[in-house]
Amino acid sequence: MASTLTSTTSFLMNNPRNVCFNKPQLHLKSKATISSQLGFVTSQISGIQISPIIKPFISSAPLNPSILLPVARRVCPFTSKKSNKANKVSFSNHKTIKLQFVNLQYKRVWWEAGKRFVKLRLSTKALKTIEKNGLDAVAKKAGIDLRKE
């Protein structure tokens, strides 16, 4: 049993395909300097490579400003309505989760106090509320400052 163990370990140590089992034949001081140069973290007990240190990727290509722009969320700013999770039930009664999104519309609304149009993305429910109560009252209740837009 012991002879088969030593023969398999010697095979694993000498086989170049099994890289993870190859132990470097270096002294402790030089092992630390080599591992720091390579960027790998090594275990002091066995000398096996644990994980590489991830270095940041620096691209020479110019930065595209369209990547940095925020994406419009599917939430109404006036009513705080957002998507609803629901089950889509098939004929075999198999349920899959689907999202029911809010009916958001881009709309130019006349703002009487500012004497101008304001372009808003709001739900149809908020649009009906604005027609009933007025834009200033609904914006004040939602805590939205229309002067910024």
Side-chain angles (χ1 to χ4, degrees):
M1 177 82 175
S3 64
T4 57
L5 254 174
T6 55
S7 65
T8 47
T9 18
S10 64
F11 170 74
L12 289 175
M13 295 294 272
N14 296 327
N15 192 356
R17 291 184 181 162
N18 296 327
V19 178
C20 61
F21 291 108
N22 286 340
K23 292 184 181 179
Q25 302 295 328
L26 301 171
H27 297 291
L28 189 60
K29 291 180 183 177
S30 62
K31 190 187 297 183
T33 57
I34 289 175
S35 67
S36 65
Q37 290 172 354
L38 292 176
F40 294 111
V41 179
T42 57
S43 171
Q44 293 295 329
I45 298 170
S46 61
I48 297 174
Q49 177 182 350
I50 297 172
S51 64
I53 298 173
I54 300 172
K55 295 183 181 178
F57 174 73
I58 300 172
S59 175
S60 61
L63 186 63
N64 190 357
S66 65
I67 297 172
L68 301 176
L69 295 175
V71 178
R73 294 181 58 213
R74 291 179 174 159
V75 177
C76 178
F78 291 97
T79 59
S80 301
K81 284 182 172 283
K82 55 186 178 181
S83 60
N84 182 39
K85 285 187 180 177
N87 281 330
K88 183 178 181 182
V89 183
S90 67
F91 180 74
S92 63
N93 206 22
H94 180 74
K95 297 172 180 69
T96 55
I97 297 175
K98 70 171 192 169
L99 287 177
Q100 296 172 338
F101 294 113
V102 185
N103 189 8
L104 292 176
Q105 305 292 327
Y106 285 101
K107 186 74 177 170
R108 277 181 41 201
V109 182
W110 178 254
W111 181 32
E112 190 63 39
K115 302 291 185 200
R116 64 182 176 98
F117 281 100
V118 180
K119 188 174 182 181
L120 301 170
R121 186 178 191 212
L122 43 94
S123 64
T124 51
K125 177 72 176 177
L127 189 60
K128 288 172 73 174
T129 310
I130 288 171
E131 288 176 2
K132 181 180 178 184
N133 300 333
L135 182 61
D136 284 326
V138 176
K140 184 177 179 182
K141 185 176 180 182
I144 297 173
D145 186 16
L146 294 172
R147 289 176 285 157
K148 293 179 189 174
E149 298 181 42

